[in-house]
């Protein structure tokens, strides 16, 4: 596998797999906040960074969802634009990396766990209801011209889904 293939992101993304990954994030976020174990923060952050950089390729949770669980469910795939999902993973990465820095760098555990709680809520909305808040924000950024529409033509009309 060459580097270009490694550092790619699927487009489109199977929503079944995306929702399974989100469910895994909910479990990990809940375990992190519930146990208040700082060592889980980098684990959560790694998953988001890996998924932003390579899709499911370097993400244990992403691989498990796409290669093990999704094929066994036998559900009809439903697809969403990859750029919006990648943006949502990027938001999760930003929140979780910030949580790592706050907790491990500055000892601000309460703020770190609050950020992880927010990540958990957004992941729950995706897992339970298929509501990707990051995707909606991405569509707004396209509509307001912050992100060029050419980045993702399908994303510009994400409200229609």
């Amino acid at each position: 596998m060459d580097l270009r293939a490694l550092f790619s992101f699927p487009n489109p993304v199977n929503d079944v797999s995306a929702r399974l990954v989100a469910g895994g994030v909910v479990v990990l976020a809940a375990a992190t906040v519930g146990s208040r174990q700082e060592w889980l923060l980098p684990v959560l952050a790694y998953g988001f960074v890996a998924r932003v950089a390579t899709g499911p390729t370097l993400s244990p949770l992403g691989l498990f969802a796409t290669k093990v669980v999704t094929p066994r469910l036998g559900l009809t795939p439903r697809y969403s634009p990859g750029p919006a999902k990648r943006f949502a993973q990027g938001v999760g990465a930003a929140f979780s990396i910030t949580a790592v820095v706050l907790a491990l760098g500055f000892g601000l555990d309460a703020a770190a766990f609050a950020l992880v709680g927010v990540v958990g809520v957004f992941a729950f909305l995706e897992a339970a209801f298929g509501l990707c808040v990051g995707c909606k924000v991405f569509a707004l950024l396209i509509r307001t011209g912050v992100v060029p529409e050419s980045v993702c033509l399908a994303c510009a009309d994400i409200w229609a889904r």
Side-chain angles (χ1 to χ4, degrees):
M1 174 182 283
D2 66 10
L3 283 180
R4 185 173 309 201
L6 176 64
F7 290 101
S8 63
F9 195 89
N11 187 24
V13 171
N14 184 344
D15 270 339
V16 173
S17 296
R19 289 176 75 172
L20 289 168
V21 169
V25 170
V26 170
V27 170
L28 184 54
T32 303
V33 172
S35 69
R36 301 191 66 81
Q37 294 294 311
E38 290 179 342
W39 68 269
L40 288 171
L41 295 169
V43 173
L44 183 66
Y46 169 79
F48 278 111
V49 170
R51 288 188 296 278
V52 167
T54 67
T57 307
L58 296 179
S59 164
L61 181 55
L63 285 172
F64 183 69
T66 59
K67 303 292 185 197
V68 178
V69 181
T70 300
R72 285 169 175 73
L73 291 176
L75 299 173
T76 302
R78 189 173 146 244
Y79 294 100
S80 292
K85 294 293 187 184
R86 189 176 216 174
F87 176 81
Q89 291 295 318
V91 172
F95 274 58
S96 58
I97 290 168
T98 301
V100 169
V101 171
L102 288 172
L104 302 180
F106 297 102
L108 299 171
D109 291 358
F113 292 125
L115 282 177
V116 172
V118 170
V119 168
V121 167
F122 288 149
F124 175 78
L125 291 172
E126 169 81 9
F129 305 111
L131 174 61
C132 176
V133 176
C135 298
K136 300 294 186 187
V137 170
F138 190 71
L140 282 173
L141 292 173
I142 288 176
R143 288 184 125 165
T144 59
V146 174
V147 174
E149 190 173 304
S150 61
V151 170
C152 181
L153 295 175
C155 299
D157 192 27
I158 203 163
W159 298 108
R161 288 178 230 283

